């Protein structure tokens, strides 16, 4: 049984080569790493079959780089995973805003009922209800949490809002206040890709370059079916089974 492949070790082994690429040569292509791994595995059969002939016909091609392509494919997957973890997701902000919207609606509805019964200051509740927009929603969550806490002795047991809901409103409201940019704030100039994204692009560039060389080799030795032997990195084509290929 073969030893399991350590994709982090593959990443570390080829990191110097990725870092050494000139910035002008780095591609911004997005790959599906899992498809690339499978298609490189298929393409390596061409390398194995013609390894002895490649130096004669392609003297400028580095055999060691081609041989390492399966490792580079795994390293590209690891680099992509690191980039996904480090690049802030828009979904996080959307989830926080959705949470704030739901909490505000619940806390404000109960606060209005309490105010109508003289248990909360009508003016404070009206002021919270008056605003609109995402930033106001965030600030309302903070204000509503403070309202419930400040009047706890008066309203305890007289509303359906739990302590956990109040704490959640304060937390999500505070997070949004800290992270939302005002609509009229100056645009932040782009600083280019993050370090993690840049490394993902660099590993993808190494993979694409090596794959192009394998395609050229396959085309040279197998001009009629080279695309099947070295499929595109993003190819989802399924090879025919041998028993199906023989049926006519």
């Amino acid at each position: 049984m073969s030893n399991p492949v350590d994709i982090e070790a593959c990443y570390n082994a080829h990191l110097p080569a990725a870092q050494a690429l000139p910035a002008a040569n780095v591609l911004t292509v997005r790959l599906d790493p899992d498809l690339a791994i499978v298609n490189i595995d298929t393409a390596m059969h061409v390398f194995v079959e013609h390894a002895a002939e490649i130096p004669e016909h392609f003297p400028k091609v580095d055999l060691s780089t081609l041989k390492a392509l399966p490792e580079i494919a795994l390293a590209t997957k690891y680099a992509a995973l690191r980039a996904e973890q480090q690049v802030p997701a828009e979904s996080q902000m959307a989830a926080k805003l959705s949470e704030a919207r739901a909490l505000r609606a619940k806390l404000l509805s109960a606060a209005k009922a309490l105010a109508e019964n003289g248990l909360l200051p009508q003016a404070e509740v009206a002021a919270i209800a008056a605003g609109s927009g995402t930033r106001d929603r965030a600030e309302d969550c903070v204000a509503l949490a403070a309202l419930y806490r400040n009047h706890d002795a008066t309203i305890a047991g007289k509303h359906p809002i739990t302590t956990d809901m109040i704490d959640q409103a304060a937390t999500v409201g505070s997070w949004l206040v800290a992270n939302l940019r005002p609509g009229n704030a100056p645009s932040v100039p782009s600083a280019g890709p993050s370090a993690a994204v840049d490394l993902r692009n660099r590993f993808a560039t190494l993979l694409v370059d090596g794959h192009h060389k394998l395609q050229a080799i396959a085309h040279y030795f197998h001009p009629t079916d080279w695309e099947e032997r070295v499929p595109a990195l993003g190819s989802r084509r399924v090879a025919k089974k041998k028993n199906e290929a023989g049926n006519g």
Side-chain angles (χ1 to χ4, degrees):
M1 182 180 294
S2 60
N3 294 327
V5 177
D6 184 339
I7 67 170
E8 184 178 7
C10 294
Y11 174 90
N12 290 330
H14 299 284
L15 182 58
Q19 291 174 323
L21 286 173
N25 294 350
V26 177
L27 305 174
T28 56
V29 62
R30 293 297 299 270
L31 298 172
D32 181 328
D34 293 315
L35 282 177
I37 289 169
V38 171
N39 289 320
I40 283 293
D41 184 63
T42 298
M44 289 304 292
H45 291 289
V46 167
F47 171 78
V48 172
E49 182 181 353
H50 298 286
E53 304 164 87
I54 291 172
E56 177 184 353
H57 298 276
F58 297 87
K60 294 184 178 181
V61 171
D62 183 357
L63 284 182
S64 63
T65 299
L66 291 184
K67 186 176 181 180
L69 281 175
E71 289 187 2
I72 294 173
L74 290 171
T76 301
K77 178 176 178 63
Y78 186 80
L81 290 173
R82 285 171 59 95
E84 288 175 8
Q85 291 169 355
Q86 294 183 27
V87 176
E90 292 183 6
S91 59
Q92 182 183 19
M93 180 63 74
K96 294 287 188 183
L97 288 170
S98 178
E99 181 184 358
R101 184 186 303 111
L103 286 167
R104 178 187 184 276
K106 291 177 182 178
L107 270 66
L108 184 56
S109 177
K112 287 179 178 179
L114 290 167
E116 288 173 0
N117 287 281
L119 298 173
L120 285 177
Q122 187 78 43
E124 289 188 38
V125 175
I128 293 172
S132 62
T134 54
R135 177 163 289 275
D136 185 77
R137 187 189 312 163
E139 294 172 350
D140 285 352
C141 284
V142 176
L144 283 164
L147 183 67
Y148 278 88
R149 289 167 177 170
N150 292 339
H151 297 276
D152 182 61
T154 304
I155 64 176
K158 300 175 182 177
H159 59 83
I161 304 302
T162 65
T163 301
D164 283 345
M165 292 169 65
I166 294 170
D167 292 342
Q168 288 169 11
T171 299
V172 71
S174 298
W175 188 93
L176 287 168
V177 168
N179 289 279
L180 281 170
R181 285 180 56 78
N184 59 352
S187 300
V188 177
S190 174
S194 68
V197 171
D198 180 63
L199 281 173
R200 180 201 66 197
N201 293 342
R202 286 173 175 275
F203 276 103
T205 299
L206 289 178
L207 189 62
V208 168
D209 286 349
H211 178 260
H212 284 167
K213 291 181 175 64
L214 275 181
Q215 284 186 317
I217 291 167
H219 189 272
Y220 181 84
F221 289 109
H222 305 278
T224 60
D225 62 348
W226 66 273
E227 289 179 289
E228 293 180 10
R229 291 175 180 268
V230 182
L233 287 174
S235 174
R236 294 180 181 273
R237 290 179 301 173
V238 179
K240 293 182 180 180
K241 295 180 181 178
K242 290 183 179 180
N243 61 344
E244 293 178 349
N247 294 333

